[in-house]
Amino acid sequence: MPFAPRLWFALVWLTPLLVQAAPAPWYYWRSLVDGSLVCAQTAPGHGWERDSAAFEGPGCQPRRRLIVVPLR
């Protein structure tokens, strides 16, 4: 069974790469030409500057906050 050792080797070496993966943060980007805003993970191109801090939620949405109210 020559396939099993190769599969084990691939799993052992690729698992750390998968564990480290994380989504890229979202930013608002402002155009240097007309000042319009665009929400994207990377710069839309030449002539754009980052206009906001990183958002953790998708599409420039803030992360939802969970409020826990203790019962009495």
Side-chain angles (χ1 to χ4, degrees):
M1 294 177 75
F3 182 70
R6 286 187 214 157
L7 179 62
W8 176 250
F9 182 78
L11 286 175
V12 167
W13 287 102
L14 293 177
T15 301
L17 297 175
L18 297 174
V19 171
Q20 294 177 4
W26 291 81
Y27 299 98
Y28 274 118
W29 298 86
R30 180 177 303 279
S31 170
L32 298 175
V33 176
D34 62 358
S36 61
L37 289 175
V38 171
C39 177
Q41 290 179 313
T42 59
H46 203 54
W48 292 84
E49 65 181 5
R50 196 166 60 196
D51 190 56
S52 70
F55 288 90
E56 294 180 5
C60 295
Q61 298 294 322
R63 180 190 283 189
R64 292 184 181 178
R65 305 233 184 248
L66 179 64
I67 300 173
V68 178
V69 179
L71 296 174
R72 294 183 188 235

